[in-house]
Amino acid sequence: MATRTITLEEFKTELKAQGVRSHEHFAFRCVMCGTVQSGRDLIDAGAGETFDEIERFLGFSCVGRWT
């Protein structure tokens, strides 16, 4: 799986295009295993209790670290 480099504006546009209401449901593909994961998945896996606690892991750390 190839990694892409995009601008912050492109990143924001792609997030908005997902059409989700809550930011904890924005989805990202894990660069290591390829699964699609969201902030909610990280919370459910125990990476933190709130979006603020897990935000630093989005698109960077696999849910598998906590499961």
Side-chain angles (χ1 to χ4, degrees):
M1 177 183 329
T3 301
R4 302 185 299 142
T5 300
I6 60 175
T7 66
L8 180 57
E9 287 306 312
E10 290 170 325
F11 178 72
K12 289 178 181 178
T13 299
E14 290 188 16
L15 288 178
K16 287 180 184 178
Q18 290 185 19
V20 297
R21 292 179 185 244
S22 174
H23 53 274
E24 75 181 33
H25 295 292
F26 284 133
F28 300 87
R29 185 173 306 280
C30 175
V31 297
M32 296 304 291
C33 70
T35 61
V36 176
Q37 305 169 11
S38 70
R40 181 79 252 165
D41 293 328
L42 287 164
I43 292 169
D44 292 346
E49 295 182 11
T50 66
F51 183 81
D52 289 337
E53 292 177 6
I54 59 87
E55 184 176 25
R56 63 191 168 133
F57 301 128
L58 285 174
F60 177 74
S61 294
C62 184
V63 168
R65 286 183 158 188
W66 291 274
T67 59

